[in-house]
Amino acid sequence: MKQKYVVLLDDASNQLRIQEYAELDKEMLSLLCEETYDADALRKVMEKDRSALTQALRTNNMYPPGIYIERIADAVMDMFQPGANPSAELFFEEREMFERLDEDLLVDADPDTDEDEAMDVDDLLESDMGDDFEDKELL
């Protein structure tokens, strides 16, 4: 699924607006959610640290995945710089997020682990269940 986030900083109203779009139909993005933030409040949050900003940008209605919120936070921080562009469009492909997770898993894998040393899945299933488990009736 393709997603797009539009981030707009309106100095006149002192607000930051984030719109979330998703491809619900092929090649057609639909607006899913729009959140508005007080620009002064975001400036104060940015002074604390980056994680505070990412938490402030997430709401009950809009809770982007970690990879997405990091890029959104970067765009927001850039917008608050003097002379910066007051808008940004960020495009995401869900497939890219999973490919990145797969790469991280490969990096975390221990190359010294011998496959013979790894426990067999069947052994795990058999070792944790006693004989009385199968005898119990389900309600």
Side-chain angles (χ1 to χ4, degrees), residues 59-122:
T59 67
N60 288 336
N61 296 325
M62 187 184 315
Y63 199 90
I67 296 169
Y68 297 3
I69 196 67
E70 293 298 325
R71 286 190 46 205
I72 294 168
D74 287 340
V76 169
M77 292 175 73
D78 289 344
M79 284 181 193
F80 281 95
Q81 301 302 317
N85 188 348
S87 66
E89 288 187 354
L90 305 166
F91 293 91
F92 299 97
E93 179 77 40
E94 191 174 66
R95 179 183 62 222
E96 294 171 2
M97 180 174 65
F98 291 114
E99 288 172 355
R100 183 180 237 176
L101 289 173
D102 287 343
E103 289 172 6
D104 291 345
L105 289 174
L106 289 174
V107 169
D108 292 341
D110 185 7
D112 297 331
T113 303
D114 186 10
E115 288 184 27
D116 294 333
E117 293 176 13
M119 184 174 264
D120 187 23
V121 173
D122 292 331

XYZ file of all heavy atoms in Angstrom, residues 59-122:
513
model
N -1.078 10.750 17.311
C -2.353 10.926 18.003
C -3.135 9.614 17.939
O -2.693 8.651 17.300
C -3.191 12.037 17.339
O -3.591 11.606 16.034
C -2.435 13.349 17.248
N -4.290 9.600 18.563
C -5.142 8.411 18.474
C -5.614 8.167 17.046
O -5.828 7.029 16.647
C -6.358 8.549 19.393
C -5.988 8.429 20.845
O -4.971 7.832 21.198
N -6.798 9.010 21.704
N -5.781 9.222 16.276
C -6.261 9.097 14.907
C -5.149 8.863 13.894
O -5.386 8.275 12.848
C -7.039 10.353 14.497
C -8.285 10.526 15.313
O -8.935 9.566 15.697
N -8.626 11.763 15.598
N -3.965 9.352 14.180
C -2.836 9.233 13.261
C -1.623 8.747 14.042
O -1.061 9.472 14.843
C -2.527 10.580 12.586
C -1.480 10.459 11.514
S -0.973 12.023 10.746
C -2.490 12.849 10.444
N -1.256 7.496 13.788
C -0.141 6.885 14.508
C 0.761 6.174 13.498
O 0.732 4.950 13.359
C -0.675 5.904 15.559
C 0.315 5.576 16.636
C 0.381 6.339 17.783
C 1.195 4.509 16.498
C 1.282 6.045 18.786
C 2.112 4.210 17.494
C 2.143 4.978 18.635
O 3.046 4.685 19.626
N 1.570 6.950 12.766
C 2.428 6.353 11.736
C 3.475 5.412 12.338
O 3.924 5.611 13.471
C 3.121 7.559 11.093
C 2.386 8.758 11.561
C 1.721 8.393 12.837
N 3.875 4.396 11.578
C 4.956 3.509 12.025
C 6.243 4.282 12.282
O 6.426 5.397 11.773
C 5.138 2.542 10.855
C 3.911 2.661 10.040
C 3.358 4.022 10.272
N 7.146 3.707 13.044
C 8.387 4.359 13.442
C 9.202 4.921 12.296
O 9.715 6.035 12.367
N 9.325 4.158 11.220
C 10.107 4.615 10.066
C 9.470 5.864 9.466
O 10.158 6.817 9.098
C 10.212 3.491 9.015
C 10.985 2.308 9.601
C 10.858 3.989 7.742
C 10.913 1.050 8.758
N 8.139 5.884 9.400
C 7.433 7.024 8.827
C 7.531 8.247 9.726
O 7.791 9.350 9.262
C 5.956 6.707 8.615
C 5.643 5.603 7.635
C 6.623 4.854 6.997
C 4.326 5.291 7.341
C 6.308 3.852 6.110
C 4.000 4.288 6.450
C 4.995 3.573 5.845
O 4.673 2.580 4.955
N 7.311 8.072 11.017
C 7.270 9.219 11.930
C 8.638 9.884 12.018
O 8.727 11.095 12.224
C 6.715 8.839 13.317
C 6.307 10.076 14.121
C 7.713 8.017 14.101
C 5.154 10.829 13.594
N 9.703 9.125 11.844
C 11.044 9.715 11.859
C 11.214 10.694 10.694
O 11.749 11.788 10.872
C 12.111 8.623 11.810
C 12.171 7.757 13.052
C 12.531 8.533 14.305
O 13.342 9.487 14.218
O 11.998 8.193 15.372
N 10.771 10.292 9.513
C 10.871 11.186 8.350
C 9.935 12.376 8.474
O 10.273 13.482 8.068
C 10.588 10.414 7.062
C 11.769 9.518 6.691
C 11.677 8.906 5.329
N 11.291 9.808 4.270
C 10.691 9.407 3.141
N 10.423 8.145 2.944
N 10.363 10.287 2.220
N 8.751 12.155 9.051
C 7.820 13.263 9.266
C 8.420 14.258 10.252
O 8.365 15.471 10.041
C 6.452 12.740 9.757
C 5.783 11.910 8.663
C 5.556 13.881 10.198
C 4.577 11.113 9.120
N 9.022 13.760 11.329
C 9.657 14.634 12.324
C 10.788 15.433 11.687
O 10.952 16.626 11.987
C 10.164 13.808 13.506
N 11.576 14.802 10.812
C 12.642 15.527 10.106
C 12.061 16.678 9.296
O 12.592 17.795 9.306
C 13.409 14.591 9.165
C 14.317 13.627 9.903
O 14.658 13.894 11.076
O 14.682 12.597 9.283
N 10.963 16.409 8.589
C 10.332 17.448 7.767
C 9.815 18.586 8.638
O 9.985 19.762 8.296
C 9.196 16.844 6.942
N 9.218 18.252 9.760
C 8.697 19.281 10.670
C 9.834 20.130 11.216
O 9.757 21.365 11.234
C 7.875 18.638 11.810
C 7.551 19.651 12.899
C 6.600 18.017 11.258
N 10.903 19.499 11.635
C 12.043 20.246 12.178
C 12.640 21.172 11.120
O 13.009 22.306 11.430
C 13.095 19.280 12.727
C 12.609 18.543 13.966
S 13.758 17.301 14.554
C 15.027 18.314 15.251
N 12.710 20.698 9.888
C 13.229 21.534 8.801
C 12.335 22.744 8.556
O 12.828 23.837 8.272
C 13.363 20.725 7.508
C 14.494 19.712 7.569
O 15.361 19.833 8.474
O 14.513 18.791 6.719
N 11.032 22.553 8.641
C 10.085 23.648 8.382
C 10.207 24.793 9.376
O 9.914 25.930 9.038
C 8.647 23.129 8.424
C 8.257 22.369 7.226
S 6.550 21.863 7.403
C 6.473 20.701 6.105
N 10.637 24.486 10.574
C 10.745 25.516 11.598
C 12.068 26.290 11.520
O 12.312 27.175 12.324
C 10.547 24.911 12.992
C 9.101 24.670 13.319
C 8.517 23.429 13.105
C 8.308 25.686 13.836
C 7.192 23.205 13.399
C 6.981 25.469 14.143
C 6.414 24.226 13.918
N 12.905 25.955 10.560
C 14.144 26.682 10.346
C 13.837 27.962 9.566
O 12.956 27.976 8.713
C 15.159 25.823 9.577
C 15.523 24.527 10.263
C 16.093 24.743 11.647
O 16.915 25.636 11.859
N 15.644 23.941 12.606
N 14.575 29.035 9.826
C 14.337 30.297 9.104
C 14.517 30.124 7.594
O 15.480 29.506 7.135
C 15.399 31.246 9.662
C 15.848 30.633 10.944
C 15.625 29.163 10.832
N 13.562 30.629 6.833
C 13.631 30.589 5.376
C 13.308 29.243 4.765
O 13.484 29.059 3.558
N 12.836 28.300 5.558
C 12.554 26.955 5.044
C 11.229 26.918 4.300
O 10.359 27.771 4.482
C 12.524 25.959 6.193
N 11.087 25.899 3.476
C 9.841 25.661 2.755
C 8.755 25.288 3.769
O 8.960 24.396 4.592
C 10.052 24.528 1.746
C 8.888 24.340 0.815
O 7.807 24.886 1.010
N 9.117 23.542 -0.212
N 7.577 25.925 3.719
C 6.529 25.647 4.702
C 5.667 24.424 4.394
O 4.658 24.198 5.055
C 5.682 26.927 4.668
C 5.834 27.420 3.277
C 7.237 27.055 2.861
N 6.075 23.619 3.420
C 5.299 22.416 3.119
C 6.221 21.285 2.684
O 7.331 21.512 2.203
C 4.265 22.702 2.024
O 4.921 22.989 0.813
N 5.713 20.070 2.866
C 6.471 18.891 2.451
C 5.497 17.770 2.121
O 4.434 17.665 2.742
C 7.419 18.437 3.552
N 5.861 16.972 1.133
C 5.114 15.774 0.788
C 6.053 14.591 0.960
O 7.134 14.562 0.379
C 4.600 15.828 -0.651
C 3.475 16.787 -0.869
C 2.889 16.694 -2.275
O 3.438 15.958 -3.126
O 1.886 17.361 -2.514
N 5.621 13.632 1.756
C 6.429 12.447 2.023
C 5.688 11.222 1.511
O 4.531 10.991 1.870
C 6.689 12.311 3.528
C 7.316 13.533 4.184
C 7.214 13.447 5.688
C 8.746 13.674 3.755
N 6.347 10.440 0.665
C 5.741 9.249 0.084
C 6.368 8.003 0.699
O 7.577 7.941 0.897
C 5.945 9.237 -1.440
C 5.196 10.336 -2.133
C 5.794 11.566 -2.368
C 3.894 10.133 -2.544
C 5.111 12.584 -3.006
C 3.200 11.153 -3.182
C 3.802 12.375 -3.416
N 5.515 7.021 0.972
C 5.969 5.772 1.559
C 5.327 4.608 0.822
O 4.183 4.678 0.394
C 5.571 5.680 3.041
C 6.162 6.772 3.889
C 5.420 7.901 4.186
C 7.445 6.668 4.377
C 5.945 8.914 4.975
C 7.987 7.674 5.165
C 7.230 8.797 5.459
N 6.081 3.546 0.711
C 5.601 2.297 0.138
C 5.715 1.261 1.248
O 6.804 1.027 1.780
C 6.451 1.905 -1.070
C 6.069 0.619 -1.728
C 4.839 0.742 -2.605
O 4.690 1.748 -3.299
O 4.027 -0.194 -2.573
N 4.609 0.653 1.610
C 4.589 -0.301 2.719
C 5.606 -1.418 2.509
O 6.250 -1.876 3.440
C 3.179 -0.880 2.851
C 2.963 -1.674 4.106
C 1.521 -2.091 4.225
O 1.060 -2.896 3.386
O 0.855 -1.603 5.144
N 5.777 -1.821 1.278
C 6.730 -2.883 0.956
C 8.142 -2.500 1.406
O 8.896 -3.322 1.907
C 6.682 -3.141 -0.556
C 7.652 -4.200 -1.020
C 7.609 -4.357 -2.532
N 8.009 -3.098 -3.152
C 7.416 -2.572 -4.216
N 6.408 -3.175 -4.778
N 7.838 -1.438 -4.728
N 8.520 -1.225 1.252
C 9.845 -0.761 1.653
C 10.064 -0.918 3.156
O 11.156 -1.229 3.601
C 10.035 0.693 1.257
C 10.073 0.929 -0.230
C 10.044 2.403 -0.597
O 10.035 3.255 0.309
O 10.011 2.700 -1.805
N 8.998 -0.700 3.920
C 9.110 -0.826 5.370
C 9.455 -2.265 5.746
O 10.316 -2.512 6.579
C 7.803 -0.396 6.044
C 7.849 -0.502 7.552
S 6.396 0.153 8.382
C 5.128 -0.942 7.839
N 8.800 -3.236 5.106
C 9.058 -4.633 5.419
C 10.411 -5.087 4.893
O 11.081 -5.904 5.521
C 7.930 -5.521 4.883
C 6.646 -5.314 5.622
C 5.551 -4.772 4.988
C 6.548 -5.624 6.969
C 4.365 -4.561 5.670
C 5.376 -5.416 7.659
C 4.274 -4.887 7.015
N 10.845 -4.565 3.762
C 12.173 -4.892 3.251
C 13.242 -4.400 4.211
O 14.222 -5.090 4.469
C 12.378 -4.287 1.863
C 11.585 -4.966 0.780
C 11.636 -4.239 -0.550
O 12.227 -3.137 -0.617
O 11.074 -4.768 -1.525
N 13.036 -3.231 4.775
C 13.995 -2.674 5.737
C 14.036 -3.527 7.002
O 15.095 -3.784 7.558
C 13.630 -1.236 6.060
C 14.613 -0.569 6.983
C 14.180 0.836 7.259
N 15.239 1.728 6.865
C 15.156 3.031 6.901
N 14.044 3.608 7.268
N 16.176 3.776 6.564
N 12.871 -4.009 7.444
C 12.827 -4.876 8.621
C 13.560 -6.179 8.352
O 14.275 -6.686 9.216
C 11.375 -5.158 9.023
C 10.598 -4.003 9.627
C 9.143 -4.382 9.820
C 11.215 -3.559 10.934
N 13.390 -6.733 7.141
C 14.106 -7.958 6.783
C 15.617 -7.730 6.807
O 16.366 -8.576 7.281
C 13.683 -8.450 5.395
C 12.284 -9.042 5.390
O 11.770 -9.365 6.482
O 11.703 -9.174 4.294
N 16.076 -6.588 6.300
C 17.504 -6.279 6.306
C 18.019 -6.175 7.746
O 19.092 -6.670 8.051
C 17.766 -4.969 5.568
C 17.578 -5.055 4.081
C 17.664 -3.701 3.398
O 17.993 -2.706 4.076
O 17.398 -3.644 2.190
N 17.233 -5.550 8.626
C 17.630 -5.432 10.018
C 17.725 -6.794 10.677
O 18.622 -7.050 11.477
C 16.644 -4.550 10.801
C 16.712 -3.084 10.376
O 17.705 -2.706 9.706
O 15.778 -2.334 10.716
N 16.815 -7.694 10.343
C 16.862 -9.038 10.909
C 18.101 -9.793 10.436
O 18.719 -10.521 11.195
C 15.602 -9.822 10.542
C 14.316 -9.373 11.225
C 13.134 -10.141 10.658
C 14.408 -9.554 12.729
N 18.462 -9.598 9.172
C 19.654 -10.261 8.655
C 20.911 -9.723 9.332
O 21.843 -10.478 9.606
C 19.753 -10.081 7.143
C 18.741 -10.849 6.312
C 18.862 -10.468 4.842
C 18.900 -12.346 6.501
N 20.947 -8.441 9.610
C 22.099 -7.846 10.272
C 22.217 -8.357 11.704
O 23.298 -8.625 12.197
C 22.002 -6.302 10.259
C 23.038 -5.674 11.162
C 22.148 -5.786 8.841
N 21.053 -8.543 12.369
C 21.047 -9.004 13.756
C 21.313 -10.494 13.885
O 21.614 -10.974 14.974
C 19.695 -8.688 14.419
C 19.509 -7.188 14.598
O 20.527 -6.461 14.553
O 18.354 -6.751 14.769
N 21.194 -11.247 12.796
C 21.401 -12.687 12.865
C 22.850 -12.984 13.230
O 23.774 -12.321 12.801
C 21.052 -13.330 11.521
N 23.038 -14.022 14.030
C 24.363 -14.424 14.482
C 24.962 -15.400 13.478
O 24.486 -16.524 13.351
C 24.261 -15.065 15.869
C 25.616 -15.406 16.456
O 26.642 -15.029 15.842
O 25.658 -16.045 17.521
N 25.996 -14.996 12.741
C 26.567 -15.875 11.719
C 27.289 -17.086 12.304
O 27.523 -18.048 11.604
C 27.550 -14.961 10.969
C 27.903 -13.894 11.946
C 26.693 -13.710 12.810
N 27.625 -17.054 13.594
C 28.342 -18.163 14.214
C 27.419 -19.276 14.684
O 27.877 -20.327 15.102
C 29.165 -17.656 15.400
C 30.242 -16.674 14.951
O 30.704 -16.800 13.797
O 30.614 -15.793 15.745
N 26.109 -19.053 14.648
C 25.169 -20.066 15.111
C 25.107 -21.203 14.114
O 24.881 -21.009 12.931
C 23.755 -19.465 15.292
O 23.841 -18.377 16.192
C 22.788 -20.504 15.815
N 25.333 -22.410 14.613
C 25.267 -23.589 13.777
C 23.811 -24.034 13.686
O 23.095 -24.078 14.677
C 26.114 -24.701 14.408
C 26.225 -25.920 13.534
O 25.802 -25.854 12.357
O 26.732 -26.950 14.029
N 23.366 -24.387 12.496
C 21.975 -24.779 12.322
C 21.639 -26.017 13.140
O 20.513 -26.193 13.576
C 21.668 -25.030 10.849
C 21.624 -23.758 10.028
C 21.228 -24.020 8.589
O 20.518 -25.010 8.329
O 21.623 -23.217 7.735
N 22.615 -26.915 13.364
C 22.371 -28.118 14.159
C 22.125 -27.769 15.619
O 21.453 -28.506 16.327
C 23.550 -29.086 14.042
C 23.692 -29.638 12.628
O 22.651 -29.698 11.911
O 24.820 -29.980 12.246
N 22.694 -26.656 16.085
C 22.523 -26.240 17.466
C 21.148 -25.624 17.714
O 20.677 -25.592 18.834
C 23.589 -25.215 17.851
C 24.981 -25.761 17.886
C 26.002 -24.680 18.183
O 25.599 -23.579 18.598
O 27.194 -24.929 17.992
N 20.526 -25.116 16.686
C 19.212 -24.490 16.841
C 18.186 -25.559 17.201
O 18.217 -26.666 16.696
C 18.809 -23.785 15.557
N 17.273 -25.198 18.109
C 16.271 -26.147 18.556
C 15.213 -26.338 17.474
O 14.783 -25.396 16.836
C 15.619 -25.654 19.846
C 14.636 -26.642 20.434
S 14.024 -26.116 22.017
C 15.120 -27.010 23.082
N 14.797 -27.563 17.297
C 13.771 -27.890 16.323
C 12.418 -27.410 16.833
O 12.102 -27.516 18.017
C 13.762 -29.401 16.102
C 12.847 -29.834 14.979
O 12.566 -28.996 14.105
O 12.418 -30.999 14.999
N 11.586 -26.886 15.940
C 10.271 -26.370 16.321
C 9.422 -27.477 16.934
O 8.711 -27.269 17.910
C 9.559 -25.752 15.095
C 8.137 -25.377 15.423
C 10.326 -24.565 14.593
N 9.497 -28.684 16.379
C 8.720 -29.799 16.921
C 9.142 -30.112 18.350
O 8.302 -30.451 19.191
C 8.874 -31.039 16.046
C 8.217 -30.867 14.684
O 7.225 -30.091 14.617
O 8.675 -31.481 13.707
